[in-house]
Amino acid sequence: MPLWSLLSTQVWGPGSVLLILVFLLRLSVQLWHKTQLWDLQHCPTDLTGKTAVVTGANSGIGKVVSQELARRGARVVLACRSRERGQRALAEIQAASKDASLLLGEVDLSSMASIRSFARWLLQECPEIHLLVNNAAVCGIPRTLTPEGLDLTFATNYVGPFLLTNLLQGALQRAGSARVINVSSSWQTQGYFDEEHLTGAGGPLTFNQNYFCSKLLLTSITGEFARRLQGTGVTVNSVEPGVVYTEIMRMLPLYYRFSFWISSFFIKDPTQGANPVLYLSLAKELDGISGKYFSRSCVIIPPAKAAQDPQVAQRLWNASVKLTNLDKVD
């Protein structure tokens, strides 16, 4: 059989061509990520003596961020819903960095009672906090209510970060210079503002729109936090990590999980998704920058229009204060 015939039938068959195309596409995506993102390896920031708190630290982006912060000398508090999974993550990070200083804190971001208990413990352990990464999130499916009567997605993705950041304000200000990073999503542009969603009411929501709206609220309140904390040394920014294949997908129906598994060849892994979050955590050029929304490429971009409106943010703040009882003595 001629050589060209052998190649065409055995090497360059449809299956082989498809595999090669998939490989080349995957390679191009990887190269694109590398050219678009800030280079972590060239960042000299040392965090020795600093304390960082990362929610959702037992897997995905949170785990990668925690490991890098610990590697740079920070004392890292892994804030996890599951103590068992948190212990596993702590052991893995400790194994990767023998000198890592780690604490494990148990907190369910969907529960205000759990957040208050965690904050009391944390403030005793860490009177000064230099970095708070509000990373923990759920995907929005299935639609369920918490024991406190809140939609699980809004409670975890928005109410939890709002309450925790407020409860830790004193420790953040005592640090002298501190950063709060809210991990948002590009899907916030698909959400809309309705403060009644916080209590399980509000306008009707289509498929996964509770996730989109919760991320819009988180982005909006970032600007309000920045305005209220101006001059305190605490900066607050939000960032979209891009589409990342993480365990947040585990609650989706099987056919959606399968779709994400197929697309995982072309979207970011947790290490790539953590890069924009680490940029906001570490980059010296961001000292003093507050109230901004950063893209997956580590540049400042405008968020959804509703998230740019200070009157909307003020209404959201007032509703959130009432919901979380922050206007009452704890």
Side-chain angles (χ1 to χ4, degrees):
M1 180 181 291
L3 179 59
W4 67 268
S5 178
L6 179 65
L7 289 173
S8 64
T9 57
Q10 296 188 18
V11 178
W12 300 108
S16 299
V17 171
L18 180 61
L19 287 174
I20 290 171
L21 288 174
V22 168
F23 171 77
L24 291 174
L25 181 57
R26 172 64 173 169
L27 182 61
S28 67
V29 170
Q30 294 279 7
L31 291 173
W32 183 84
H33 288 323
K34 288 182 179 179
T35 58
Q36 293 293 313
L37 296 177
W38 163 76
D39 189 353
L40 174 66
Q41 303 308 317
H42 287 85
C43 175
T45 301
D46 180 72
L47 297 178
T48 302
K50 308 288 187 181
T51 297
V53 179
V54 183
T55 67
N58 56 273
S59 65
I61 290 173
K63 182 179 173 183
V64 174
V65 168
S66 298
Q67 184 166 325
E68 181 62 27
L69 299 179
R71 190 183 72 82
R72 290 172 180 262
R75 184 190 191 197
V76 182
V77 180
L78 310 179
C80 305
R81 182 174 59 180
S82 165
R83 177 164 293 277
E84 181 182 355
R85 297 177 70 195
Q87 288 282 12
R88 287 201 299 266
L90 186 148
E92 291 172 15
I93 296 172
Q94 198 80 64
S97 181
K98 299 297 184 183
D99 297 327
S101 176
L102 304 170
L103 274 178
L104 176 62
E106 189 174 355
V107 59
D108 180 352
L109 267 293
S110 73
S111 165
M112 289 185 279
S114 177
I115 293 168
R116 290 180 184 277
S117 176
F118 169 73
R120 285 193 291 269
W121 168 82
L122 181 60
L123 291 173
Q124 290 180 343
E125 295 288 338
C126 308
E128 295 182 0
I129 296 172
H130 302 83
L131 180 62
L132 170 62
V133 182
N134 287 314
N135 163 75
V138 295
C139 69
I141 300 170
R143 296 281 304 279
T144 56
L145 294 180
T146 70
E148 293 166 321
L150 305 181
D151 178 90
L152 179 68
T153 301
F154 282 99
T156 305
N157 298 1
Y158 170 72
V159 179
F162 173 82
L163 177 58
L164 182 62
T165 303
N166 270 289
L167 294 177
L168 299 184
Q169 261 193 67
L172 290 163
Q173 292 183 36
R174 282 191 293 273
S177 177
R179 296 183 183 187
V180 178
I181 295 143
N182 292 326
V183 180
S184 184
S185 167
S186 58
W187 290 106
Q188 51 93 25
T189 58
Q190 304 301 309
Y192 69 96
F193 178 78
D194 186 341
E195 64 193 56
E196 292 187 356
H197 282 152
L198 298 176
T199 57
L205 294 166
T206 58
F207 171 77
N208 219 28
Q209 204 167 29
N210 53 348
Y211 176 82
F212 306 155
C213 292
S214 70
K215 290 298 185 178
L216 174 65
L217 299 188
L218 184 63
T219 304
S220 175
I221 210 66
T222 296
E224 186 64 20
F225 266 117
R227 285 187 283 273
R228 289 172 177 269
L229 291 170
Q230 188 173 5
T232 66
V234 181
T235 61
V236 189
N237 294 293
S238 57
V239 60
E240 60 173 71
V243 182
V244 185
Y245 188 75
T246 70
E247 289 189 18
I248 196 174
M249 315 297 185
R250 69 183 182 276
M251 298 303 293
L252 290 170
L254 180 60
Y255 51 91
Y256 283 106
R257 296 203 305 272
F258 179 73
S259 298
F260 272 110
W261 179 79
I262 292 294
S263 65
S264 68
F265 292 101
F266 311 108
I267 63 179
K268 293 181 178 181
D269 60 32
T271 299
Q272 294 166 330
N275 207 72
V277 181
L278 287 167
Y279 173 65
L280 267 66
S281 304
L282 300 171
K284 292 296 186 184
E285 61 266 30
L286 298 185
D287 284 347
I289 302 296
S290 192
K292 304 301 181 183
Y293 180 78
F294 288 77
S295 75
R296 69 196 72 184
S297 299
C298 304
V299 296
I300 297 173
I301 62 172
K305 189 175 180 179
Q308 302 176 49
D309 189 332
Q311 292 184 338
V312 168
Q314 181 65 56
R315 283 169 49 201
L316 177 60
W317 181 277
N318 292 338
S320 303
V321 165
K322 183 177 180 181
L323 177 68
T324 56
N325 290 320
L326 279 173
D327 51 347
K328 300 177 182 178
V329 178
D330 188 16

